[in-house]
Amino acid sequence: MKSQDYSLGFIGLGRMGREILPRIHSLFPVRVVYNRTSSVCNEVPLEGITCASVPSELAEACNIIFLSLTDTEAVESILFGDNGTSKYLKRGTIIVDLSTISLEGTLRIHERLAKSGIKYLDSPVIGSVGAAKSGNLTSVCGGDESAFNRVRPLLASFSSKIFYLGASGNGIRMKLINNAVMGINMSAIAEALNLSGSIGLPKSKIMEVLLTGGASSRILELKRDKIERGDFSPEFSLEHQLKDLRYAVEMARDAGLNPEFSSAAEKLYAAAATEGLGKDDMSAVASGGVSGAAKPHKEVRV
Ligand SMILES: NC(=O)c1ccc[n+]([C@@H]2O[C@H](COP(=O)([O-])OP(=O)(O)OC[C@H]3O[C@@H](n4cnc5c(N)ncnc54)[C@H](OP(=O)(O)O)[C@@H]3O)[C@@H](O)[C@H]2O)c1
């Protein structure tokens, strides 16, 4: 695919968007970006890219538009709200939604856009800010296959693993399964580490030993240093992890299932958010006083 076939737009310069955008732009020039809080455009290097003042401006100029937004509400407001893009999109435009939103919302948006000949790909990403920066995310994509094939080289600029999963919604289904397992896993780690004070084993030792055997996990590998240092500055925020557990529980219930582990993790994350940890990293559920921690944190009961 030649770069002149693409007229690219990007909406959402949050933690992920601001890492993914330069990777796409270094291979295929991005024309226009939009962020709700316009001052963010000054914080991100945008050489050769115009910053639109309303999303509709971007819709008129682009035939492929990436979204990297918080949740279903944010995506629907960008597409269908006042000054939203949908009225201005040309037939055949492809929306590549990198956001993690609900399954129900995904299917609703797909259906609504399809009526105007717009192809909507649910294409969320697995991996956090570091993987985005180094181009090592995993993309899981559902929707029209020819649209997927057209955007595949763009996805490859930030994802080293790309899965086309078929029908619309399957990208989000896979992503919600992934984030439910991740949230359950982190909750199990939090439970183990919060035993530390009562049973007299230091958290650092518990983590060191867990990492050697079958109880190890990728999320423990990734978050061990943060937990040790008591540094809960956000990579993937706790409130986003809670949102994804809620979407995962909703997806399972709509399928007639009772997802007990995801529901328990959702409760833990909801309690942590209520205690004021929502803006911290998702690993803050294990923040109950790591030995030698630089920054003491409020205990969250498991
Ligand atoms: N961070 C990670 O490690 C990670 C990993 C994988 C997937 N994800 C998913 O990727 C998406 C983005 O995550 P992030 O960490 O980059 O989030 P973030 O830093 O919180 O950024 C969210 C973006 O959405 C915009 N936004 C929120 N509500 C909006 C609304 N109502 N209307 C318009 N724009 C709105 C924000 O604009 P403002 O600047 O105006 O607030 C910002 O650009 C989320 O769905 C998340 O679950 C994140």
Side-chain angles (χ1 to χ4, degrees):
M1 184 66 63
K2 289 177 265 135
S3 64
Q4 54 269 41
D5 295 333
Y6 297 131
S7 187
L8 303 180
F10 197 104
I11 301 183
L13 302 176
R15 252 171 236 115
M16 292 299 275
R18 66 181 64 190
E19 302 300 341
I20 292 171
L21 171 69
R23 294 209 62 94
I24 301 174
H25 189 55
S26 66
L27 291 179
F28 306 96
V30 174
R31 272 197 189 178
V32 194
V33 299
Y34 170 80
N35 195 73
R36 177 183 60 176
T37 307
S38 57
S39 59
V40 169
C41 287
N42 304 323
E43 295 163 19
V44 179
L46 295 174
E47 213 175 304
I49 312 179
T50 304
C51 191
S53 50
V54 282
S56 52
E57 213 177 299
L58 180 148
E60 285 173 327
C62 303
N63 61 14
I64 298 179
I65 299 172
F66 285 85
L67 308 180
S68 179
L69 300 164
T70 307
D71 54 13
T72 314
E73 195 191 335
V75 171
E76 292 197 311
S77 124
I78 284 290
L79 290 172
F80 309 120
D82 297 343
N83 285 320
T85 55
S86 71
K87 289 191 287 275
Y88 303 87
L89 294 170
K90 296 177 281 287
R91 284 187 88 75
T93 296
I94 303 173
I95 305 285
V96 188
D97 194 354
L98 310 176
S99 328
T100 308
I101 67 171
S102 69
L103 174 60
E104 192 229 333
T106 299
L107 299 177
R108 187 172 58 234
I109 294 166
H110 167 76
E111 203 182 316
R112 197 162 164 189
L113 290 177
K115 286 183 186 146
S116 325
I118 313 298
K119 307 259 168 80
Y120 176 75
L121 296 172
D122 47 300
S123 192
V125 291
I126 294 171
S128 194
V129 176
K133 205 176 277 204
S134 63
N136 284 307
L137 290 169
T138 295
S139 283
V140 285
C141 189
D144 182 87
E145 191 166 6
S146 62
F148 166 76
N149 286 330
R150 194 154 138 66
V151 304
R152 193 187 174 108
L154 300 167
L155 301 180
S157 69
F158 55 86
S159 289
S160 51
K161 296 186 188 65
I162 299 172
F163 295 89
Y164 174 65
L165 297 172
S168 188
N170 281 354
I172 276 295
R173 288 183 176 97
M174 186 62 239
K175 171 67 181 175
L176 295 181
I177 290 171
N178 183 82
N179 278 26
V181 172
M182 185 166 80
I184 292 165
N185 222 307
M186 195 67 234
S187 302
I189 293 165
E191 186 167 284
L193 296 183
N194 288 343
L195 287 175
S196 162
S198 314
I199 61 172
L201 277 175
K203 295 193 174 192
S204 56
K205 194 52 73 183
I206 295 176
M207 289 194 282
E208 187 186 342
V209 176
L210 285 178
L211 282 164
T212 66
S216 183
S217 63
R218 182 80 181 119
I219 197 70
L220 180 55
E221 282 170 16
L222 289 169
K223 300 299 181 186
R224 177 196 188 177
D225 282 351
K226 284 183 89 60
I227 296 170
E228 289 256 16
R229 285 185 278 113
D231 163 17
F232 296 104
S233 56
E235 289 166 349
F236 179 48
S237 70
L238 191 143
E239 62 191 3
H240 284 3
Q241 175 64 69
L242 172 59
K243 153 187 80 76
D244 295 353
L245 281 162
R246 285 183 171 145
Y247 290 153
V249 167
E250 180 185 276
M251 174 174 79
R253 290 203 177 128
D254 287 349
L257 303 169
N258 177 20
E260 289 183 17
F261 293 112
S262 305
S263 300
E266 181 195 345
K267 275 195 203 114
L268 171 67
Y269 272 88
T274 303
E275 292 191 29
L277 304 182
K279 302 284 178 208
D280 286 355
D281 190 69
M282 58 83 79
S283 56
V285 285
S287 65
V290 180
S291 69
K295 180 182 157 209
H297 233 269
K298 272 194 228 165
E299 183 117 16
V300 176
R301 290 194 192 284
V302 182

